Amino acid sequence: MKKNKAIFLDRDGVINNEESNYYIFRTEDFFLNEGLAEALKELSRRGYIFIVITNQGGISKNLYSSADVEKVHEKLNQLLAGFGVHLEEIYYCPHHSDEENCLCRKPKNLTIEKAIARFNIDREKSWLVGDRDTDIEAGKLSGLKTIKVKSNENMRFLSELIVD
Ligand SMILES: [Mg+2]
Ligand SMILES: [Zn+2]
C-alpha cells in the first residue's frame, strides 16, 4: 500500500493566533492565522494529509477542561471545512512539564509515532511545522523535515516552503 505524506502541525501560534492569551481555550479567542487555511488547501491538493499535535498543559493545571479543548477543536474543524481542508486527527497532551508519567508532551515524539503508524505515513516525505524548539525537536526525533515559523505570522508561505 502506498504510504501517505503528512504535515504535522503545532496548534497555538502556528494554526491559530495566540497573542490574546497564553492559553487559548475559549472558542471566542480562537482565530486562524492569516494565510494558514489557504496554504493547507494548496498542500492538500498536492496530496498531503494533516495531523495536529498540541501540548495543552492547562488541562492538568485545571485552568480548563478537555471539553473546552474539544470545543475549540470543533471550531477549528469547522473553520477549515469552510476552505475544504480536513484534519485527519488532532492529538493533545493534557499533562504539564512536571508530570513524569507523560509520554506525549513535546519534545517527546510518541504521539507523532502513533500517528505515523495509524495513518501509514512516509516519514521521509513528511514535515513538521512548529513555532517552538520543542516542536522541532519532536519532529526531528521522528525523522521528519521541520520548519520553524514565527508565532502568529502569516502562514501562506508554507505551501512554497514545503517541497515534495
Ligand atoms: Mg506553538
Ligand atoms: Zn502527555
Side-chain angles (χ1 to χ4, degrees):
M1 196 168 87
K2 195 171 171 284
K3 287 190 171 184
N4 291 305
K5 51 182 185 177
I7 298 170
F8 291 84
L9 298 150
D10 172 49
R11 199 193 81 179
D12 299 314
V14 173
I15 290 180
N16 59 287
N17 190 292
E18 60 171 1
E19 282 169 313
S20 64
N21 278 296
Y22 184 77
Y23 290 109
I24 302 287
F25 59 93
R26 294 184 193 92
T27 52
E28 56 267 38
D29 293 334
F30 189 91
F31 303 101
L32 295 179
N33 279 326
E34 278 181 40
L36 186 269
E38 292 83 354
L40 295 190
K41 187 172 184 181
E42 193 182 320
L43 288 162
S44 142
R45 259 191 253 118
R46 284 165 44 195
Y48 287 93
I49 63 167
F50 307 114
I51 316 268
V52 177
I53 311 238
T54 174
N55 288 350
Q56 294 299 325
I59 297 174
S60 224
K61 294 181 183 166
N62 289 316
L63 298 172
Y64 52 88
S65 68
S66 297
D68 293 323
V69 171
E70 274 152 34
K71 262 181 247 153
V72 163
H73 292 170
E74 231 170 83
K75 179 172 181 183
L76 167 57
N77 282 326
Q78 279 170 11
L79 290 171
L80 290 179
F83 291 84
V85 172
H86 168 71
L87 304 173
E88 295 301 325
E89 186 61 274
I90 306 173
Y91 293 99
Y92 61 90
C93 163
H95 309 116
H96 60 69
S97 46
D98 309 333
E99 281 176 87
E100 287 171 8
N101 293 329
C102 162
L103 297 170
C104 42
R105 187 180 167 87
K106 290 175 286 185
K108 290 182 178 158
N109 66 330
L110 181 66
T111 310
I112 297 176
E113 290 300 317
K114 272 163 83 171
I116 287 175
R118 178 174 164 201
F119 296 104
N120 191 33
I121 289 165
D122 184 345
R123 63 183 83 222
E124 285 174 15
K125 291 185 178 152
S126 297
W127 298 71
L128 178 136
V129 182
D131 63 342
R132 297 205 183 179
D133 290 338
T134 46
D135 299 320
I136 302 307
E137 198 181 326
K140 286 197 193 306
L141 281 171
S142 282
L144 305 173
K145 288 171 272 195
T146 59
I147 295 174
K148 190 172 175 196
V149 298
K150 269 188 239 138
S151 308
N152 315 312
E153 72 178 321
N154 188 313
M155 300 292 164
R156 188 65 187 87
F157 69 97
L158 281 175
S159 58
E160 284 153 48
L161 216 58
I162 290 174
V163 289
D164 299 332

